[in-house]
Amino acid sequence: MAVIDGKWCRMESEEMPYSDLSFGIKMEKLLHKEISKYQEIIVFKSQLFGNVLVLDGIVQVAELDEFVYHEMMANLPLNCHPDAKRVLIVGGGDGGVAREILKHPSVEKVVVCEIDEKVVDVCKKYFPKLAESFSDVRTELVIGDGIEYMKDQSSAFDVIITDPQDKIGIAEGLHNEGYYNSMKRALKPNGLICSEGKDMYFELSFVKRLMTFSRKLFPKVAYGYAVTPSYAPGHIGFLLCSTNPNTSFKEPLKTLTENEMKERKLKYYSSDIHRACFILPNHIKEDLYPDGNLQQ
Amino acid sequence: MAVIDGKWCRMESEEMPYSDLSFGIKMEKLLHKEISKYQEIIVFKSQLFGNVLVLDGIVQVAELDEFVYHEMMANLPLNCHPDAKRVLIVGGGDGGVAREILKHPSVEKVVVCEIDEKVVDVCKKYFPKLAESFSDVRTELVIGDGIEYMKDQSSAFDVIITDPQDKIGIAEGLHNEGYYNSMKRALKPNGLICSEGKDMYFELSFVKRLMTFSRKLFPKVAYGYAVTPSYAPGHIGFLLCSTNPNTSFKEPLKTLTENEMKERKLKYYSSDIHRACFILPNHIKEDLYPDGNLQQ
């Protein structure tokens, strides 16, 4: 849970590794605080980060750098797919990933399946630039459990993006082999998935577990990362899997021109950043790719 | 200053942007606390980060990831220089950068000029793996003011590395044109420098200022970064300048084989990471390289 302490909002989770970290941001104003059916929801305004959304004591969205995570979650998979028309986002109730998905001309339909309606309501109010994606005619918002929703889908989506609440306890069902199996079934031929992949320092063993079972299900699996000052370790990972053995995550199928980047208002993502995000520090690479880079 | 609050050590600086951030690490044990002539020095033991050195409320060294910063500060410049024999480190009283410099076979002499003897003493005691570099016969430790030391040098070093205390107030003299001019004079022909370059989100305008005056003095200037969970924004920058117009920072002159990386026990740095560290997010690139990439 977050601790409001005078001018500070301190993110202090009970969950390892975050139980050993306290990440405080000075508030200008507390804007919202409630306990929904699923979690504690806090929004505050700050000088350094702009408006900040905190769920169960972990920063989820900060205006300062929300574009980093959202651009990468959308552009990494979509630029590795030849022609993504139907995209499913599980979680993502803030609308940020959907916003970036909708910038891709091939996309005809985006389904956002968010379990907590309160997150959507709060984001519409305090993060209108993210939640604007919900008013696009191509977007369908489903309030429900992504795990159950996934079980009913078969060959329905070109790309599935899992953008869970960070706290593993609540989102546990989105990080296991059963769920990845459901995603695989829900994909059209040559489909691919992108999941929030945790950080590579404190949660390396968790990432390793994700990659181990993903490799049993998908012929191509890769881990990349991006720099995000508003998340406590300062970076966030992305796990990508493809049912198409010819997919190369390291080399995007679609590269963007300077003009396309400007039109799509991309502040973080570029084709060079795409390639660079998969270049991992030595010690991480050895751990995550024990047999070399064959599967990327 | 750091705030010791029960089991937490909270890094709370009075200096913007850190005055709006509180980065707390759960302590297992407070190992050392003193006010030296120059700064507040704290060392504590933690489960997540190992031993941590905090100067004036800003984390300087954590065992978890100290190698990231130290490997990059040493390897970025040394692998862009054809044959660095004499290296000067200003600051760096923990010995970490010197340790990485000494792994390069061309190096004959390393001078470490640290203003605060207490930092060296504390690091010898609590960070022996870093401070071991001081017992190498090639290392000369000078306790003194780096700015004054630099004024007396002329064509004396192939590479100069500035590894200051983070707090800008104390290390202010290491971030201005006069000091960069002294460094230029202290370099041998075709020499180059590497300075700690702040983060690229909160301190972008500061980085921009550094690059603007550096470009007046050096024909080649570049900014790269590395992921460092123990520094509050989660990454740290490096500013590189060369007096040799043929230097290409983006493409190292010396690439390392797998064997060389193993022999030198490099956990973060590789030739691929070297190249990738200069690939900046779109919005940062536009700000730092307004005329394109001509000068890198």
mmCIF file with all atom_site columns, all heavy atoms in Angstrom, chain B residues 80-98:
data_model
loop_
_atom_site.group_PDB
_atom_site.id
_atom_site.type_symbol
_atom_site.label_atom_id
_atom_site.label_alt_id
_atom_site.label_comp_id
_atom_site.label_asym_id
_atom_site.label_entity_id
_atom_site.label_seq_id
_atom_site.pdbx_PDB_ins_code
_atom_site.Cartn_x
_atom_site.Cartn_y
_atom_site.Cartn_z
_atom_site.occupancy
_atom_site.B_iso_or_equiv
_atom_site.pdbx_formal_charge
_atom_site.auth_seq_id
_atom_site.auth_comp_id
_atom_site.auth_asym_id
_atom_site.auth_atom_id
_atom_site.pdbx_PDB_model_num
ATOM 1   N N   . CYS B 1 80 ? 37.857 3.330  -26.856 1.00 0.00 ? 80 CYS B N   1
ATOM 2   C CA  . CYS B 1 80 ? 37.841 4.290  -27.972 1.00 0.00 ? 80 CYS B CA  1
ATOM 3   C C   . CYS B 1 80 ? 39.206 4.943  -28.159 1.00 0.00 ? 80 CYS B C   1
ATOM 4   O O   . CYS B 1 80 ? 39.388 5.765  -29.056 1.00 0.00 ? 80 CYS B O   1
ATOM 5   C CB  . CYS B 1 80 ? 36.779 5.369  -27.727 1.00 0.00 ? 80 CYS B CB  1
ATOM 6   S SG  . CYS B 1 80 ? 35.118 4.730  -27.921 1.00 0.00 ? 80 CYS B SG  1
ATOM 7   N N   . HIS B 1 81 ? 40.154 4.635  -27.285 1.00 0.00 ? 81 HIS B N   1
ATOM 8   C CA  . HIS B 1 81 ? 41.514 5.172  -27.393 1.00 0.00 ? 81 HIS B CA  1
ATOM 9   C C   . HIS B 1 81 ? 42.415 4.055  -27.921 1.00 0.00 ? 81 HIS B C   1
ATOM 10  O O   . HIS B 1 81 ? 42.310 2.917  -27.469 1.00 0.00 ? 81 HIS B O   1
ATOM 11  C CB  . HIS B 1 81 ? 42.000 5.647  -26.008 1.00 0.00 ? 81 HIS B CB  1
ATOM 12  C CG  . HIS B 1 81 ? 43.247 6.456  -26.077 1.00 0.00 ? 81 HIS B CG  1
ATOM 13  N ND1 . HIS B 1 81 ? 44.485 5.886  -26.317 1.00 0.00 ? 81 HIS B ND1 1
ATOM 14  C CD2 . HIS B 1 81 ? 43.462 7.787  -25.943 1.00 0.00 ? 81 HIS B CD2 1
ATOM 15  C CE1 . HIS B 1 81 ? 45.410 6.846  -26.336 1.00 0.00 ? 81 HIS B CE1 1
ATOM 16  N NE2 . HIS B 1 81 ? 44.810 8.012  -26.111 1.00 0.00 ? 81 HIS B NE2 1
ATOM 17  N N   . PRO B 1 82 ? 43.317 4.369  -28.860 1.00 0.00 ? 82 PRO B N   1
ATOM 18  C CA  . PRO B 1 82 ? 44.114 3.275  -29.446 1.00 0.00 ? 82 PRO B CA  1
ATOM 19  C C   . PRO B 1 82 ? 45.109 2.646  -28.467 1.00 0.00 ? 82 PRO B C   1
ATOM 20  O O   . PRO B 1 82 ? 45.408 1.452  -28.576 1.00 0.00 ? 82 PRO B O   1
ATOM 21  C CB  . PRO B 1 82 ? 44.851 3.953  -30.609 1.00 0.00 ? 82 PRO B CB  1
ATOM 22  C CG  . PRO B 1 82 ? 44.807 5.422  -30.317 1.00 0.00 ? 82 PRO B CG  1
ATOM 23  C CD  . PRO B 1 82 ? 43.558 5.653  -29.530 1.00 0.00 ? 82 PRO B CD  1
ATOM 24  N N   . ASP B 1 83 ? 45.595 3.410  -27.490 1.00 0.00 ? 83 ASP B N   1
ATOM 25  C CA  . ASP B 1 83 ? 46.694 2.858  -26.677 1.00 0.00 ? 83 ASP B CA  1
ATOM 26  C C   . ASP B 1 83 ? 46.865 3.692  -25.392 1.00 0.00 ? 83 ASP B C   1
ATOM 27  O O   . ASP B 1 83 ? 47.898 4.340  -25.198 1.00 0.00 ? 83 ASP B O   1
ATOM 28  C CB  . ASP B 1 83 ? 47.986 2.883  -27.512 1.00 0.00 ? 83 ASP B CB  1
ATOM 29  C CG  . ASP B 1 83 ? 49.123 2.136  -26.828 1.00 0.00 ? 83 ASP B CG  1
ATOM 30  O OD1 . ASP B 1 83 ? 48.850 1.113  -26.186 1.00 0.00 ? 83 ASP B OD1 1
ATOM 31  O OD2 . ASP B 1 83 ? 50.274 2.603  -26.955 1.00 0.00 ? 83 ASP B OD2 1
ATOM 32  N N   . ALA B 1 84 ? 45.858 3.635  -24.522 1.00 0.00 ? 84 ALA B N   1
ATOM 33  C CA  . ALA B 1 84 ? 45.905 4.481  -23.320 1.00 0.00 ? 84 ALA B CA  1
ATOM 34  C C   . ALA B 1 84 ? 46.900 3.930  -22.296 1.00 0.00 ? 84 ALA B C   1
ATOM 35  O O   . ALA B 1 84 ? 46.746 2.807  -21.814 1.00 0.00 ? 84 ALA B O   1
ATOM 36  C CB  . ALA B 1 84 ? 44.515 4.572  -22.699 1.00 0.00 ? 84 ALA B CB  1
ATOM 37  N N   . LYS B 1 85 ? 47.914 4.754  -22.015 1.00 0.00 ? 85 LYS B N   1
ATOM 38  C CA  . LYS B 1 85 ? 48.947 4.326  -21.052 1.00 0.00 ? 85 LYS B CA  1
ATOM 39  C C   . LYS B 1 85 ? 48.769 5.010  -19.704 1.00 0.00 ? 85 LYS B C   1
ATOM 40  O O   . LYS B 1 85 ? 48.929 4.398  -18.655 1.00 0.00 ? 85 LYS B O   1
ATOM 41  C CB  . LYS B 1 85 ? 50.346 4.644  -21.603 1.00 0.00 ? 85 LYS B CB  1
ATOM 42  C CG  . LYS B 1 85 ? 50.755 3.782  -22.784 1.00 0.00 ? 85 LYS B CG  1
ATOM 43  C CD  . LYS B 1 85 ? 52.225 4.051  -23.135 1.00 0.00 ? 85 LYS B CD  1
ATOM 44  C CE  . LYS B 1 85 ? 52.792 3.042  -24.106 1.00 0.00 ? 85 LYS B CE  1
ATOM 45  N NZ  . LYS B 1 85 ? 52.220 3.146  -25.469 1.00 0.00 ? 85 LYS B NZ  1
ATOM 46  N N   . ARG B 1 86 ? 48.471 6.300  -19.743 1.00 0.00 ? 86 ARG B N   1
ATOM 47  C CA  . ARG B 1 86 ? 48.355 7.073  -18.502 1.00 0.00 ? 86 ARG B CA  1
ATOM 48  C C   . ARG B 1 86 ? 46.929 7.597  -18.347 1.00 0.00 ? 86 ARG B C   1
ATOM 49  O O   . ARG B 1 86 ? 46.414 8.288  -19.222 1.00 0.00 ? 86 ARG B O   1
ATOM 50  C CB  . ARG B 1 86 ? 49.339 8.251  -18.526 1.00 0.00 ? 86 ARG B CB  1
ATOM 51  C CG  . ARG B 1 86 ? 50.816 7.829  -18.383 1.00 0.00 ? 86 ARG B CG  1
ATOM 52  C CD  . ARG B 1 86 ? 51.736 9.039  -18.494 1.00 0.00 ? 86 ARG B CD  1
ATOM 53  N NE  . ARG B 1 86 ? 51.392 10.080 -17.515 1.00 0.00 ? 86 ARG B NE  1
ATOM 54  C CZ  . ARG B 1 86 ? 51.819 10.119 -16.258 1.00 0.00 ? 86 ARG B CZ  1
ATOM 55  N NH1 . ARG B 1 86 ? 52.618 9.178  -15.805 1.00 0.00 ? 86 ARG B NH1 1
ATOM 56  N NH2 . ARG B 1 86 ? 51.460 11.103 -15.457 1.00 0.00 ? 86 ARG B NH2 1
ATOM 57  N N   . VAL B 1 87 ? 46.325 7.240  -17.221 1.00 0.00 ? 87 VAL B N   1
ATOM 58  C CA  . VAL B 1 87 ? 44.919 7.598  -16.981 1.00 0.00 ? 87 VAL B CA  1
ATOM 59  C C   . VAL B 1 87 ? 44.806 8.357  -15.663 1.00 0.00 ? 87 VAL B C   1
ATOM 60  O O   . VAL B 1 87 ? 45.420 7.976  -14.656 1.00 0.00 ? 87 VAL B O   1
ATOM 61  C CB  . VAL B 1 87 ? 44.029 6.328  -16.942 1.00 0.00 ? 87 VAL B CB  1
ATOM 62  C CG1 . VAL B 1 87 ? 42.568 6.677  -16.628 1.00 0.00 ? 87 VAL B CG1 1
ATOM 63  C CG2 . VAL B 1 87 ? 44.127 5.551  -18.253 1.00 0.00 ? 87 VAL B CG2 1
ATOM 64  N N   . LEU B 1 88 ? 44.010 9.434  -15.671 1.00 0.00 ? 88 LEU B N   1
ATOM 65  C CA  . LEU B 1 88 ? 43.733 10.198 -14.449 1.00 0.00 ? 88 LEU B CA  1
ATOM 66  C C   . LEU B 1 88 ? 42.256 10.056 -14.100 1.00 0.00 ? 88 LEU B C   1
ATOM 67  O O   . LEU B 1 88 ? 41.388 10.220 -14.961 1.00 0.00 ? 88 LEU B O   1
ATOM 68  C CB  . LEU B 1 88 ? 44.067 11.681 -14.670 1.00 0.00 ? 88 LEU B CB  1
ATOM 69  C CG  . LEU B 1 88 ? 43.600 12.681 -13.600 1.00 0.00 ? 88 LEU B CG  1
ATOM 70  C CD1 . LEU B 1 88 ? 44.226 12.382 -12.227 1.00 0.00 ? 88 LEU B CD1 1
ATOM 71  C CD2 . LEU B 1 88 ? 43.925 14.119 -14.033 1.00 0.00 ? 88 LEU B CD2 1
ATOM 72  N N   . ILE B 1 89 ? 41.988 9.748  -12.841 1.00 0.00 ? 89 ILE B N   1
ATOM 73  C CA  . ILE B 1 89 ? 40.601 9.718  -12.356 1.00 0.00 ? 89 ILE B CA  1
ATOM 74  C C   . ILE B 1 89 ? 40.448 10.805 -11.310 1.00 0.00 ? 89 ILE B C   1
ATOM 75  O O   . ILE B 1 89 ? 41.175 10.821 -10.308 1.00 0.00 ? 89 ILE B O   1
ATOM 76  C CB  . ILE B 1 89 ? 40.250 8.348  -11.729 1.00 0.00 ? 89 ILE B CB  1
ATOM 77  C CG1 . ILE B 1 89 ? 40.460 7.229  -12.749 1.00 0.00 ? 89 ILE B CG1 1
ATOM 78  C CG2 . ILE B 1 89 ? 38.809 8.343  -11.204 1.00 0.00 ? 89 ILE B CG2 1
ATOM 79  C CD1 . ILE B 1 89 ? 40.477 5.831  -12.140 1.00 0.00 ? 89 ILE B CD1 1
ATOM 80  N N   . VAL B 1 90 ? 39.531 11.733 -11.537 1.00 0.00 ? 90 VAL B N   1
ATOM 81  C CA  . VAL B 1 90 ? 39.252 12.782 -10.552 1.00 0.00 ? 90 VAL B CA  1
ATOM 82  C C   . VAL B 1 90 ? 38.006 12.367 -9.780  1.00 0.00 ? 90 VAL B C   1
ATOM 83  O O   . VAL B 1 90 ? 36.961 12.082 -10.383 1.00 0.00 ? 90 VAL B O   1
ATOM 84  C CB  . VAL B 1 90 ? 39.039 14.146 -11.237 1.00 0.00 ? 90 VAL B CB  1
ATOM 85  C CG1 . VAL B 1 90 ? 38.581 15.199 -10.228 1.00 0.00 ? 90 VAL B CG1 1
ATOM 86  C CG2 . VAL B 1 90 ? 40.335 14.589 -11.920 1.00 0.00 ? 90 VAL B CG2 1
ATOM 87  N N   . GLY B 1 91 ? 38.118 12.312 -8.462  1.00 0.00 ? 91 GLY B N   1
ATOM 88  C CA  . GLY B 1 91 ? 37.072 11.686 -7.646  1.00 0.00 ? 91 GLY B CA  1
ATOM 89  C C   . GLY B 1 91 ? 37.402 10.208 -7.579  1.00 0.00 ? 91 GLY B C   1
ATOM 90  O O   . GLY B 1 91 ? 38.577 9.838  -7.525  1.00 0.00 ? 91 GLY B O   1
ATOM 91  N N   . GLY B 1 92 ? 36.372 9.380  -7.605  1.00 0.00 ? 92 GLY B N   1
ATOM 92  C CA  . GLY B 1 92 ? 36.630 7.932  -7.685  1.00 0.00 ? 92 GLY B CA  1
ATOM 93  C C   . GLY B 1 92 ? 37.334 7.368  -6.476  1.00 0.00 ? 92 GLY B C   1
ATOM 94  O O   . GLY B 1 92 ? 38.083 6.381  -6.589  1.00 0.00 ? 92 GLY B O   1
ATOM 95  N N   . GLY B 1 93 ? 37.102 7.955  -5.311  1.00 0.00 ? 93 GLY B N   1
ATOM 96  C CA  . GLY B 1 93 ? 37.773 7.526  -4.083  1.00 0.00 ? 93 GLY B CA  1
ATOM 97  C C   . GLY B 1 93 ? 37.382 6.139  -3.611  1.00 0.00 ? 93 GLY B C   1
ATOM 98  O O   . GLY B 1 93 ? 38.026 5.579  -2.721  1.00 0.00 ? 93 GLY B O   1
ATOM 99  N N   . ASP B 1 94 ? 36.331 5.573  -4.209  1.00 0.00 ? 94 ASP B N   1
ATOM 100 C CA  . ASP B 1 94 ? 35.969 4.196  -3.848  1.00 0.00 ? 94 ASP B CA  1
ATOM 101 C C   . ASP B 1 94 ? 36.861 3.177  -4.548  1.00 0.00 ? 94 ASP B C   1
ATOM 102 O O   . ASP B 1 94 ? 36.904 2.017  -4.153  1.00 0.00 ? 94 ASP B O   1
ATOM 103 C CB  . ASP B 1 94 ? 34.483 3.940  -4.160  1.00 0.00 ? 94 ASP B CB  1
ATOM 104 C CG  . ASP B 1 94 ? 34.135 4.301  -5.599  1.00 0.00 ? 94 ASP B CG  1
ATOM 105 O OD1 . ASP B 1 94 ? 34.723 3.714  -6.524  1.00 0.00 ? 94 ASP B OD1 1
ATOM 106 O OD2 . ASP B 1 94 ? 33.282 5.179  -5.799  1.00 0.00 ? 94 ASP B OD2 1
ATOM 107 N N   . GLY B 1 95 ? 37.562 3.599  -5.605  1.00 0.00 ? 95 GLY B N   1
ATOM 108 C CA  . GLY B 1 95 ? 38.493 2.699  -6.295  1.00 0.00 ? 95 GLY B CA  1
ATOM 109 C C   . GLY B 1 95 ? 37.870 1.888  -7.427  1.00 0.00 ? 95 GLY B C   1
ATOM 110 O O   . GLY B 1 95 ? 38.577 1.178  -8.138  1.00 0.00 ? 95 GLY B O   1
ATOM 111 N N   . GLY B 1 96 ? 36.559 1.982  -7.613  1.00 0.00 ? 96 GLY B N   1
ATOM 112 C CA  . GLY B 1 96 ? 35.874 1.132  -8.593  1.00 0.00 ? 96 GLY B CA  1
ATOM 113 C C   . GLY B 1 96 ? 36.284 1.385  -10.033 1.00 0.00 ? 96 GLY B C   1
ATOM 114 O O   . GLY B 1 96 ? 36.525 0.443  -10.792 1.00 0.00 ? 96 GLY B O   1
ATOM 115 N N   . VAL B 1 97 ? 36.380 2.640  -10.432 1.00 0.00 ? 97 VAL B N   1
ATOM 116 C CA  . VAL B 1 97 ? 36.769 2.936  -11.819 1.00 0.00 ? 97 VAL B CA  1
ATOM 117 C C   . VAL B 1 97 ? 38.218 2.513  -12.043 1.00 0.00 ? 97 VAL B C   1
ATOM 118 O O   . VAL B 1 97 ? 38.548 1.903  -13.076 1.00 0.00 ? 97 VAL B O   1
ATOM 119 C CB  . VAL B 1 97 ? 36.573 4.433  -12.164 1.00 0.00 ? 97 VAL B CB  1
ATOM 120 C CG1 . VAL B 1 97 ? 37.069 4.724  -13.575 1.00 0.00 ? 97 VAL B CG1 1
ATOM 121 C CG2 . VAL B 1 97 ? 35.107 4.841  -12.043 1.00 0.00 ? 97 VAL B CG2 1
ATOM 122 N N   . ALA B 1 98 ? 39.083 2.781  -11.051 1.00 0.00 ? 98 ALA B N   1
ATOM 123 C CA  . ALA B 1 98 ? 40.496 2.380  -11.170 1.00 0.00 ? 98 ALA B CA  1
ATOM 124 C C   . ALA B 1 98 ? 40.615 0.868  -11.360 1.00 0.00 ? 98 ALA B C   1
ATOM 125 O O   . ALA B 1 98 ? 41.400 0.387  -12.189 1.00 0.00 ? 98 ALA B O   1
ATOM 126 C CB  . ALA B 1 98 ? 41.271 2.822  -9.927  1.00 0.00 ? 98 ALA B CB  1
#
